[in-house]
């Protein structure tokens, strides 16, 4: 009888140990979400992580990274009428001349759809730019993603997953220029003042930016990054009406973790975007 009880207790402990702790760690509103250690790739929390969904303007993380690969921050670009587009804007005017760096601020702070089109033209045109976006996604191992435009406007061929966007954010967190741009709270260039839409920069300890997004079809999307005590975490929520609070809760949970969760496979991104397991 005693052996049977001991066996039952051992089985119960084994089952408990194999249940991912993050499954019960945080109660959030997002349809899909991921909290990832940006240095190791370890998942600290996931919810519908592999579901392909619209990502709205969080797309612009990829847009900015492709532009930074292309280079030339101080190059001057002329705005065209064809760059005028619906949705969020940095309010460019046809004929205006702006630097690539100013456009990147407009892309990441104001979420300018107009800036995205100007930058795509600068990098060789829209078709070429979308190809570059998809090539970079493939290189990073974003196997469930497809990009159809540089601004995130709804398109059946434009989607990603919470997991893939966390991979992208972890890679972006290694780019010093990208972090400088996306962590800027406000900047004035050539008389144009741009303020960052990301409230987490002001409300969450250690937040160093990333990107907001919204369309009617996608709902609210948010990718963020935070550093505390030498650790760097990225959080992704898709279709989340309570994203500010959810990201704060995810970070409060994640930064309390002192050891790796059982059953996780760590990976990291080498220079050049090669994924190692």
């Amino acid at each position: 009888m005693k052996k049977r009880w001991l066996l039952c207790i051992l089985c119960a402990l084994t089952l408990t140990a194999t249940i991912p702790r993050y499954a019960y760690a945080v109660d959030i509103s997002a349809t899909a979400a991921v909290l990832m250690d940006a240095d190791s790739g370890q998942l600290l929390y996931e919810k519908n992580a592999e579901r392909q969904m619209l990502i709205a303007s969080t797309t612009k993380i990829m847009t900015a990274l492709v532009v930074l690969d292309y280079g030339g921050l101080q190059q001057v670009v002329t705005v065209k009428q064809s760059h005028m587009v619906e949705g969020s804007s940095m309010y460019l005017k046809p004929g205006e001349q702006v630097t690539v760096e100013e456009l990147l601020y407009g892309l990441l702070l104001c979420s300018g759809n107009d800036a995205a089109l100007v930058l795509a033209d600068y990098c060789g045109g829209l078709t070429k730019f979308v190809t570059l976006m998809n090539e970079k996604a493939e290189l990073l191992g974003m196997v469930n993603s497809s990009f159809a435009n540089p601004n995130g406007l709804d398109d059946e061929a434009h989607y990603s997953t919470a997991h893939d966007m966390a991979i992208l954010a972890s890679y972006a967190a290694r780019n010093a220029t990208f972090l400088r741009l996306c962590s800027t709270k406000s900047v004035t260039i050539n008389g144009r003042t741009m303020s960052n839409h990301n409230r987490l920069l002001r409300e969450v300890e250690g937040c160093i930016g990333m990107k907001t997004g919204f369309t009617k079809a996608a709902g609210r999307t948010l990718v963020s990054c935070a550093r505390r005590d030498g650790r760097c975490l990225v959080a992704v929520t898709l279709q989340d009406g309570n994203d500010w609070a959810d990201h704060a809760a995810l970070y409060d949970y994640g930064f309390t973790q002192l050891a790796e969760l059982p059953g996780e496979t760590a990976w990291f991104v080498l220079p050049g975007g090669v994924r190692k397991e």
Side-chain angles (χ1 to χ4, degrees), residues 151-190:
N151 44 40
L153 292 178
D154 298 333
D155 189 301
E156 289 184 358
H158 192 95
Y159 55 82
S160 188
T161 67
H163 188 202
D164 277 5
M165 292 304 290
I167 291 173
L168 180 64
S170 296
Y171 176 80
R174 293 169 171 79
N175 188 309
T177 302
F178 176 84
L179 287 182
R180 173 177 65 82
L181 294 164
C182 76
S183 65
T184 299
K185 295 177 182 177
S186 181
V187 67
T188 300
I189 303 176
N190 295 326

Side-chain angles (χ1 to χ4, degrees), residues 30-53:
T31 297
V34 159
L35 178 68
M36 179 183 282
D37 184 324
D39 297 317
S40 69
Q42 179 187 10
L43 290 180
L44 303 177
Y45 176 91
E46 64 174 303
K47 178 181 180 182
N48 297 322
E50 306 299 342
R51 181 180 296 184
Q52 292 177 341
M53 299 177 65

Side-chain angles (χ1 to χ4, degrees), residues 81 132 218:
Q81 181 62 45
L132 292 173

